[in-house]
């Protein structure tokens, strides 16, 4: 399996969030567990622009899809 094209830090940059490792860990701790019935992009803590980016990245199987899946898994 190939490594993701993008990093979790780069995803947080794209989302306009603090992309430092401690900030990412804090974000995940504050927003987990994400209920299994809610798609990641539909979680209430995203802005509409962030949600759109996540949905598009996932739905189009874009370069971001694998790292979005990793974030989703960490939030579960």
């Amino acid at each position: 399996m190939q490594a993701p094209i993008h990093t979790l830090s780069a995803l947080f940059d794209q989302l306009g969030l603090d992309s430092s490792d401690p900030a990412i860990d804090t974000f995940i701790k504050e927003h987990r567990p994400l209920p299994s019935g809610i798609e990641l992009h539909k979680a209430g803590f995203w802005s509409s622009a962030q949600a759109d980016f996540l949905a598009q990245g996932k739905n189009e199987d874009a370069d971001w899809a694998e790292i979005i899946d990793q974030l989703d898994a960490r939030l579960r």
Side-chain angles (χ1 to χ4, degrees), residues 10-39:
L11 177 60
F12 272 66
D13 281 337
Q14 283 294 316
L15 295 170
L17 301 171
D18 186 340
S19 61
S20 68
D21 287 341
I24 292 170
D25 290 341
T26 298
F27 179 91
I28 290 169
K29 286 177 189 171
E30 289 177 352
H31 294 97
R32 70 179 305 205
L34 186 60
S36 61
I38 296 180
E39 294 179 60

Side-chain angles (χ1 to χ4, degrees), residues 54-71:
L54 292 167
Q56 183 178 12
K58 182 73 174 157
N59 292 337
E60 294 179 1
D61 198 25
D63 291 350
W64 294 101
E66 190 170 341
I67 201 69
I68 290 170
D69 285 343
Q70 288 182 18
L71 175 60

